[in-house]
Amino acid sequence: MTNKFYQYVLYFVLGTTAAFSLFLIASDNIAPFTTQASLHRSVATIAPEVSGVIDSVAVKNGQSVHSDDILFTLDDQSYLLNVQQAQAELAQANEMFQASQQQLIAAEQTFSQRKEQWLNSQAKQKRTATLFKKGLTTAQALDDSKTNVNVAYSALQAAKAEILRIKAQLSDSTSNAAIELAKVKLASAELDEHHTQVRASADGIVTNLQLQTGSYIAQGTTALLVVNEAQAWLSADFNEKGMSHLQVGNMAHIAFDALPGQVFIGHIESQERAVRDSDNSHGQLSDVVNDSRWIREQQKIRVRIAIDHLDPKLISGARASVSVNNGSTVIDSISSLWIHMVSLFRYVY
């Protein structure tokens, strides 16, 4: 009786093993399965937009931060001086523009004076001419009055030319451009000074923090990373034979190596529609290589899977095994049973 019992147990184990072996062989065609899957989260790379010496570090590794929180600051003394210099240059440009406006006012007043002098010289010349006709003055006096009129007219024309010159200078784009250039330089200096406070660009967890107060950091150098815990997805690579089942919306069962005995539900969110060809990266003709093996390695297709109720303890990069539903009750049941067995195997290896 005991021998019969062990015989039945042996048959059951061998039968189950054979059934699952056949299932795995056929899984690429009927219910895609892969162990090549990993968890990803959105990661914001934090790098300063200006160079400088680190003045203070406001966060610790693993700390939760919110968008616009200060992460670290740079010494801003040189940038404050740049702001002050730009402010002085803007003030100088404005003063020069205002000085030109004052020169215009003075030139217009001079023109008015020269006009009065010209009109007065004309009136004197007429009176002198009348007196000359009556013999009451000399020809020399008449000539002098005519000369005075011509001199006054020349002075009037010079004053008019000075007004035109100053107006042209004020309307010239160069003077206005000097002010605009000074404004832009000031805005740039203020922006650089603002960038000495490096802030978080999104909510998340600080990671890879290796900053030290007093160290110099160059513009664009990665200082730390902020991992967005709210945005997570699974990247899974399947053999291309299962393409018909790797459609958007199809259900998937997921077993993470880090959480033995647990199976998560997910749905295919998207499918990558291209695979990088290292031999044809620049649009040139492909270099066809003959494979000497009888059975070559299958091409992989990468899909993105959204996970329902993801455990927050999982880190980005966590490895997982994934099976995708077929739509058939029998095959889906076998697939679900297999992924649950895989999750239990994680207790051992």
Side-chain angles (χ1 to χ4, degrees), residues 7-312:
Q7 183 179 3
Y8 291 145
V9 171
L10 179 61
Y11 288 160
F12 175 77
V13 171
L14 292 176
T16 302
T17 302
F20 277 118
S21 297
L22 291 174
F23 171 76
L24 290 177
I25 293 173
S27 65
D28 285 342
N29 295 309
I30 60 174
F33 170 79
T34 184
T35 59
Q36 303 302 312
S38 59
L39 182 68
H40 295 270
R41 298 184 189 273
S42 295
V43 179
T45 301
I46 305 299
E49 297 188 48
V50 294
S51 302
V53 176
I54 298 173
D55 186 59
S56 64
V57 181
V59 294
K60 297 179 180 179
N61 204 54
Q63 178 178 332
S64 296
V65 294
H66 298 287
S67 179
D68 206 42
D69 283 354
I70 294 178
L71 302 175
F72 64 94
T73 61
L74 305 177
D75 186 1
D76 62 352
Q77 292 302 311
S78 61
Y79 295 102
L80 287 173
L81 291 176
N82 291 339
V83 171
Q84 293 174 3
Q85 180 182 356
Q87 289 173 339
E89 291 178 359
L90 177 59
Q92 184 181 30
N94 283 322
E95 288 174 359
M96 292 180 63
F97 185 76
Q98 292 173 0
S100 296
Q101 290 180 320
Q102 293 299 323
Q103 289 177 359
L104 177 61
I105 295 173
E108 289 175 342
Q109 292 175 348
T110 301
F111 176 79
S112 297
Q113 293 174 359
R114 298 291 183 267
K115 186 175 182 180
E116 290 294 330
Q117 291 174 354
W118 176 63
L119 294 175
N120 188 38
S121 65
Q122 283 183 320
K124 286 183 178 181
Q125 192 268 337
K126 288 180 180 180
R127 288 195 299 270
T128 303
T130 301
L131 292 174
F132 179 75
K133 288 179 181 180
K134 294 179 179 181
L136 298 176
T137 187
T138 64
Q140 181 63 41
L142 180 61
D143 291 340
D144 290 342
S145 67
K146 289 181 180 180
T147 300
N148 291 335
V149 170
N150 292 333
V151 171
Y153 182 74
S154 296
L156 177 65
Q157 293 301 314
K160 183 178 180 180
E162 180 67 9
I163 290 176
L164 294 176
R165 184 190 68 80
I166 297 174
K167 284 185 176 180
Q169 183 179 0
L170 289 173
S171 62
D172 186 9
S173 60
T174 303
S175 58
N176 293 330
I179 295 176
E180 293 303 318
L181 181 61
K183 288 180 178 179
V184 171
K185 187 174 181 179
L186 175 59
S188 178
E190 290 176 339
L191 185 61
D192 285 345
E193 193 278 328
H194 175 73
H195 285 156
T196 59
Q197 293 185 341
V198 182
R199 299 174 179 270
S201 57
D203 296 348
I205 305 295
V206 174
T207 189
N208 196 38
L209 177 63
Q210 300 179 9
L211 299 179
Q212 177 63 45
T213 302
S215 299
Y216 179 85
I217 186 168
Q219 176 185 5
T221 302
T222 300
L224 54 90
L225 304 174
V226 175
V227 181
N228 189 344
E229 296 288 314
Q231 295 182 358
W233 67 91
L234 194 74
S235 288
D237 297 336
F238 294 90
N239 289 335
E240 62 183 347
K241 289 193 298 182
M243 185 183 299
S244 60
H245 300 294
L246 301 177
Q247 303 302 317
V248 175
N250 283 11
M251 182 183 293
H253 292 83
I254 306 154
F256 286 98
D257 296 358
L259 300 174
Q262 299 185 45
V263 175
F264 296 83
I265 303 297
H267 295 82
I268 295 179
E269 195 173 58
S270 64
Q271 179 187 117
E272 303 297 342
R273 301 302 299 166
V275 176
R276 182 178 180 275
D277 182 0
S278 59
D279 296 323
N280 191 23
S281 58
H282 300 291
Q284 301 174 353
L285 293 177
S286 296
D287 182 15
V288 179
V289 179
N290 290 322
D291 195 336
S292 59
R293 293 182 299 174
W294 178 52
I295 300 178
R296 69 174 182 274
E297 185 180 359
Q298 296 185 49
Q299 182 61 274
K300 300 290 186 180
I301 294 180
R302 177 162 295 179
V303 299
R304 178 176 291 199
I305 300 174
I307 308 170
D308 303 339
H309 311 296
L310 179 66
D311 193 318

Side-chain angles (χ1 to χ4, degrees), residues 259-262 342-349:
L259 300 174
Q262 299 185 45
V342 170
S343 70
L344 294 174
F345 289 158
R346 294 307 180 194
Y347 281 112
V348 181
Y349 70 97

